[in-house]
């Protein structure tokens, strides 16, 4: 059955056209439609477009809809010459366009009324569509996913079922936040490096050499449990290092006259990022040199670290706490007399 499933593609732009090419390369030549009559001319193995989405529905079992926005999706699926006009029970519509979740649920309900399966499908990266190189990020019923999977696997390198209708779109939207948020991070970091006389290419070289697989980007996610909870002990261990490094970035930006709103926001939200809702215990008075040194030791290495040396009475330990941490470390970590340290 999987070999006989017929595929269709609506919209032959970069993504839809790439999907059609990948399907043709896989041996499942799709029926296609595009508002541009010659849209398939440069797409290897892809036939000429049919005159309407309804015509594609008549000869397809699984149809990918790769349009730009919600209005186009509504027209292609439910319009006068849309897919549902000629749909029969058993047809599956796979929406590749990124639209708001209410639109996903609206279109899913419309399809359900006619016994047509519906999957919302985020795709990434779009520039790999013609190389069987995209990930298909799905939301929908399991049976619908299973029935469409053979076609999906003919154009995607990986198919990920994220949950019920809307889950694929929500995952894609969340993924976009990571993408564009990291772009802003890179822009701000490059501005800071450039102002300090560093070629941003050297910054890229350092990042790629230190973390070639990009694991740091998702490290926070991997440290959380199945319920998305970061263990408090982990958060408290990371907090002093995180705030110290962000304070250094904030100070450097101020010294160089670089606007760094993201640094400010991340520093302000550091405790919420680490899921530390309670306020930290107030620092001891600096006049109590030993207690303050132990406090700074915990700031450097994580809460509770100082317990191992609190009872140490040897001169080396005392000098380490009273001088190295209470004075030297404190002066570097809290250069301002008004800093909350």
């Amino acid at each position: 059955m999987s070999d006989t499933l017929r595929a269709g593609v609506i919209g032959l732009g970069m993504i839809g056209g790439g999907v059609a090419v990948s399907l043709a390369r896989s041996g499942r030549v799709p029926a296609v439609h595009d508002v541009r009559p010659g849209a398939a001319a440069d797409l290897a193995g892809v036939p000429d477009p049919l005159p309407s989405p309804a015509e594609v529905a008549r000869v397809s079992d699984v149809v990918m809809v790769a349009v730009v926005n919600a209005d186009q999706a509504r027209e292609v699926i439910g319009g006068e010459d849309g897919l549902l006009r000629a749909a029969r029970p058993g047809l599956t519509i796979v929406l590749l366009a990124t639209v708001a979740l209410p639109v996903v649920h609206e279109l899913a309900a419309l399809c359900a009324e006619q016994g047509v399966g519906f999957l919302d499908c985020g795709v990434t990266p779009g520039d790999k569509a013609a190389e069987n190189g995209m990930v298909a990020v799905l939301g929908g019923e399991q049976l619908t996913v299973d029935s469409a999977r053979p076609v999906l696997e003919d154009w995607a390198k990986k198919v990920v079922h994220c949950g019920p209708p809307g889950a694929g779109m929500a995952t894609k939207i969340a993924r976009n936040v990571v993408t564009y948020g990291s772009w802003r991070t890179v822009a701000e970091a490059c501005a800071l490096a450039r102002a300090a006389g560093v070629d941003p290419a050297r910054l890229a070289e350092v990042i790629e050499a230190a973390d070639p697989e990009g694991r740091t980007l998702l490290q926070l996610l991997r440290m959380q449990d199945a319920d998305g909870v970061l263990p408090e002990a982990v958060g408290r261990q990371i907090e002093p290092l995180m705030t110290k490094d962000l304070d250094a970035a904030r100070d450097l930006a101020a010294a160089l006259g670089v606007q760094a709103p993201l640094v400010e926001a991340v520093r302000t939200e550091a405790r919420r990022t680490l899921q530390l809702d309670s306020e930290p215990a107030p620092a001891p008075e600096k006049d109590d040199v030993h207690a303050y040194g132990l406090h700074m030791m915990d700031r450097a290495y994580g809460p509770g670290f100082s317990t191992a040396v609190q009872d140490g009475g040897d001169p080396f330990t005392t000098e380490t706490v009273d001088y190295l941490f209470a004075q030297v470390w404190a002066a570097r970590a809290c250069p301002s007399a008004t800093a909350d340290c």
Side-chain angles (χ1 to χ4, degrees):
M1 288 292 292
S2 65
D3 290 338
T4 61
L5 286 174
R6 299 168 299 172
V9 179
I10 307 296
L12 298 177
M14 179 179 70
I15 291 177
V19 167
V21 168
S22 290
L23 284 167
R25 184 188 300 113
S26 299
R28 202 183 303 272
V29 179
V32 300
H33 168 74
D34 194 282
V35 294
R36 302 164 296 159
D42 297 324
L43 301 178
V46 178
D48 292 336
L50 296 176
S52 70
E55 293 299 320
V56 174
R58 288 189 176 94
V59 295
S60 301
D61 299 301
V62 180
V63 179
M64 275 60 63
V65 176
V67 293
V68 176
N69 56 42
D71 288 340
Q72 292 177 356
R74 291 186 179 102
E75 181 65 23
V76 163
I77 293 173
E80 183 176 350
D81 289 318
L83 293 169
L84 295 181
R85 178 67 62 178
R88 64 195 183 287
L91 176 69
T92 297
I93 295 174
V94 184
L95 179 63
L96 307 187
T98 301
V99 299
L101 284 185
V103 178
V104 170
H105 294 302
E106 169 196 332
L107 295 174
L110 187 63
C111 290
E113 290 174 0
Q114 299 202 31
V116 170
F118 180 85
L119 299 173
D120 52 284
C121 180
V123 290
T124 185
D127 61 346
K128 299 297 182 181
E131 305 167 22
N132 296 77
M134 291 195 300
V135 177
V137 186
L138 296 174
E141 301 300 329
Q142 185 67 57
L143 288 176
T144 308
V145 173
D146 292 342
S147 66
R149 185 179 288 272
V151 172
L152 300 174
E153 290 179 340
D154 276 351
W155 58 261
K157 68 177 181 180
K158 187 174 182 63
V159 176
V160 182
H161 183 200
C162 298
M169 201 62 60
T171 304
K172 172 63 183 300
I173 291 170
R175 199 264 186 188
N176 288 347
V177 171
V178 174
T179 299
Y180 299 128
S182 65
W183 285 8
R184 177 59 209 169
T185 301
V186 170
E188 205 161 289
C190 285
L192 194 60
R194 188 177 289 109
V198 178
D199 183 347
R202 302 285 75 76
L203 173 62
E205 182 180 352
V206 169
I207 293 171
E208 290 171 351
D211 189 19
E213 297 181 357
R215 292 182 59 84
T216 301
L217 185 64
L218 296 178
Q219 188 171 351
L220 179 65
L221 181 62
R222 294 192 177 97
M223 291 187 296
Q224 296 174 355
D225 63 20
D227 296 321
V229 176
L230 184 70
E232 184 177 355
V234 174
R236 293 195 179 279
Q237 184 175 14
I238 295 172
E239 181 191 14
L241 300 176
M242 180 178 180
T243 54
K244 172 180 67 67
D245 290 346
L246 290 169
D247 286 342
R250 186 163 58 182
D251 292 344
L252 180 61
L256 297 174
V258 174
Q259 295 294 316
L262 184 62
V263 171
E264 292 291 342
V266 174
R267 177 62 180 88
T268 300
E269 298 294 323
R271 291 183 60 77
R272 289 180 60 184
T273 299
L274 299 174
Q275 301 180 18
L276 298 174
D277 296 328
S278 59
E279 289 299 319
E285 294 294 332
K286 293 184 179 181
D287 292 343
D288 188 345
V289 175
H290 195 72
Y292 191 74
L294 293 171
H295 165 73
M296 293 305 299
M297 182 177 285
D298 283 344
R299 281 203 59 191
Y301 295 108
F305 184 88
S306 65
T307 56
V309 301
Q310 285 183 14
D311 297 329
D314 62 279
F316 176 78
T317 300
T318 300
E319 191 69 10
T320 297
V321 173
D322 295 359
Y323 178 70
L324 179 61
F325 285 94
Q327 299 181 50
V328 177
W329 182 264
R332 291 180 62 84
C334 312
S336 170
T338 60
D340 182 11
C341 296

